[in-house]
Amino acid sequence: MKVMKFGGTSVASAERISHVADLITATDEVKIVVLSAMAGTTNALVEIGHQLMAHHQHEALTILTKLKHKYEAETRLLFPNPQSYDKAWTLVNETFFFLEQICYAESFTLFDEKKILARGELLSTAMMLRHLTDRGVQAIGLPALEYMRTDKQAEPDEGYIRTHLEELISRAPEGTRLFITEGYICRNAFGDIDNLQRGGSDYTATLVGSVLRADEIQIWTDIDGMHNNDPRYVDATRPVRRLHFEEASELAYFGAKILHPTCIQPAKRHGIPVRLLNTMEPSAPGTLISMDTDKDMIKAVSAKDNITMVRVRSSHQLSHWSFIGKVFSVFEHHCIPIDMIASTETSISLTIERSQLPSEVRRGLEQLGTVEEERELTIICVVGDMEWENIGFEAQILKALEEIPVRMISYGGSDYNLSLLVSAADKRRTLLALSRQLFGAACPG
Ligand code: ASP
Ligand code: MG
């Protein structure tokens, strides 16, 4: 069994939806297809929510009307036959009716906001299911709101997901080979509608694939796999053919936009390969993420923006071990993840993904020592087979940075990455310099 997830651009229009329908019906094996909302939809829904929070009903309705026109046009194209169109539009229009009701309501809560956000994926799956029916293909919907759930820590509840998903599948008619489900949306521990954060459809796919022990999880996007550098900043980047789970997680966490940052974890835990493929070029090999990888090489570079560095110098009343522990507890208390760390006997520097150090955290840290903060930084993450016995990679990376001021370096946290902290203004030239030095002669791939 395979899980195939299609992102927003892959289902961005009637034409794209029909192309995805071709892809998912091309072979006979059992498939669970996870769909994102049509590109632009979630952004529009987020904006409607913001406007309603700010009591800007008129603005919210303007965005909604524009979205409705787009769906009307795409529904017409996807269902050229007038009878099918009527059926499909009745279905799609229910959502717009629901959204209008919310816009006209007197109050607007965070619960309403989550309900609005869920509509994008509900729409794309409903349209796909109808389209498949029109083609005479038997496909069964697996409503995500009936099986996808997070626990009280807002982490996916894999036990719940497995039992409920298996139960839904077992109710499908004998011999069903194609299942369609919504990405991104879920219920929280209290049963309210929620989501797995932006880009969360990838996470739905890896969770579904993991709990059902799929043979493979495919993530279909509009690019031919994970590239060895950021194509927005560096020309001539190339797809990396194979990555270890750890390498892919580091890249996703440190800025490679192609994957949701935590989606690799369930697949890694259960050893299920994840393949990144391109809807626009289905025969391209893409990137295979698994336990195996090409040894002895650097694979890729990525960048994570909006980083603030914090340095705390101990006020000397504390022993080193208790000083470090107390610094970490301040961040734990405020639920702020730390990315990079460097320490000396009397001070510790670390980075957080924030535009500045929140004042309540600063107050907590000031109890422990002097606090310095530096903003507008970028983490550059170099990923590959960096086992410490492999010689030369660190030297090559540092050579590339001869001309660039480096704020902090972190190496040894895993066997797969070396991270550097530079000023955001130096991001582009750092990516270019690393590309030239590391991939100049031969790109991995
Ligand atoms: N539609 C959601 C988003 O745009 C989830 C996803 O596409 O993965 O973030
Ligand atoms: Mg995505």
Side-chain angles (χ1 to χ4, degrees), residues 140-372:
I140 294 289
L142 299 170
L145 297 179
E146 290 181 28
Y147 71 84
M148 189 52 75
R149 198 172 172 110
T150 52
D151 60 19
K152 289 199 173 131
Q153 281 74 46
E155 295 294 335
D157 183 342
E158 287 192 28
Y160 184 101
I161 299 168
R162 178 182 300 112
T163 17
H164 288 75
L165 191 51
E166 281 173 352
E167 158 72 18
L168 283 172
I169 293 172
S170 71
R171 278 197 249 141
E174 201 47 46
T176 304
R177 314 200 72 72
L178 188 57
F179 297 89
I180 313 285
T181 189
E182 303 89 356
Y184 175 62
I185 64 177
C186 65
R187 287 188 190 270
N188 62 23
F190 309 99
D192 307 314
I193 294 185
D194 209 330
N195 60 62
L196 300 171
Q197 311 290 332
R198 294 305 305 271
S201 299
D202 296 341
Y203 208 6
T204 305
T206 54
L207 285 164
V208 167
S210 301
V211 300
L212 298 179
R213 308 287 191 267
D215 300 316
E216 185 171 294
I217 300 160
Q218 300 183 341
I219 309 276
W220 291 76
T221 63
D222 54 358
I223 178 164
D224 51 350
M226 189 89 94
H227 275 228
N228 63 358
N229 207 321
D230 191 329
R232 288 167 303 179
Y233 296 93
V234 178
D235 292 335
T237 61
R238 292 187 35 189
V240 186
R241 294 283 166 247
R242 296 190 332 147
L243 284 171
H244 190 276
F245 284 121
E246 300 278 355
E247 294 170 327
S249 313
E250 302 279 3
L251 287 170
Y253 185 74
F254 286 111
K257 290 281 179 290
I258 181 169
L259 273 182
H260 179 283
T262 39
C263 79
I264 291 298
Q265 300 309 326
K268 184 174 91 185
R269 270 200 304 280
H270 301 283
I272 306 200
V274 178
R275 203 182 282 276
L276 310 183
L277 292 159
N278 185 359
T279 329
M280 316 294 167
E281 217 190 316
S283 54
T287 299
L288 177 65
I289 303 167
S290 69
M291 275 328 192
D292 291 327
T293 186
D294 299 315
K295 301 295 271 177
D296 264 341
M297 64 197 293
I298 293 192
K299 309 286 176 47
V301 179
S302 66
K304 184 168 176 175
D305 298 320
N306 194 30
I307 302 295
T308 292
M309 182 184 124
V310 184
R311 180 187 283 159
V312 191
R313 284 179 215 269
S314 165
S315 49
H316 290 286
Q317 285 124 1
L318 292 167
S319 55
H320 182 56
W321 57 86
S322 82
F323 166 66
I324 299 246
K326 289 199 162 68
V327 169
F328 287 156
S329 359
V330 174
F331 287 91
E332 185 192 1
H333 182 70
H334 296 279
C335 300
I336 298 183
I338 294 168
D339 286 336
M340 289 174 70
I341 302 166
S343 76
T344 69
E345 209 206 334
T346 53
S347 70
I348 177 160
S349 296
L350 44 86
T351 67
I352 54 173
E353 190 187 0
R354 293 286 163 109
S355 56
Q356 60 183 76
L357 180 65
S359 50
E360 60 283 12
V361 182
R362 172 179 276 276
R363 278 196 295 279
L365 295 174
E366 278 170 349
Q367 310 288 313
L368 307 172
T370 11
V371 180
E372 290 162 53

Side-chain angles (χ1 to χ4, degrees), residues 46-102:
V46 166
E47 193 47 35
I48 290 172
H50 288 166
Q51 296 295 352
L52 292 174
M53 276 292 176
H55 305 287
H56 297 158
Q57 193 191 51
H58 177 74
E59 285 79 354
L61 281 162
T62 310
I63 304 166
L64 184 58
T65 310
K66 208 168 136 209
L67 195 64
K68 186 171 171 177
H69 288 153
K70 177 187 151 90
Y71 273 84
E72 209 171 344
E74 297 303 337
T75 310
R76 258 183 217 293
L77 292 169
L78 190 59
F79 302 93
N81 169 317
Q83 273 175 350
S84 324
Y85 170 77
D86 285 345
K87 280 195 195 138
W89 181 245
T90 309
L91 209 70
V92 173
N93 201 21
E94 265 172 29
T95 278
F96 286 97
F97 182 70
F98 168 85
L99 293 170
E100 273 151 21
Q101 302 283 92
I102 289 202

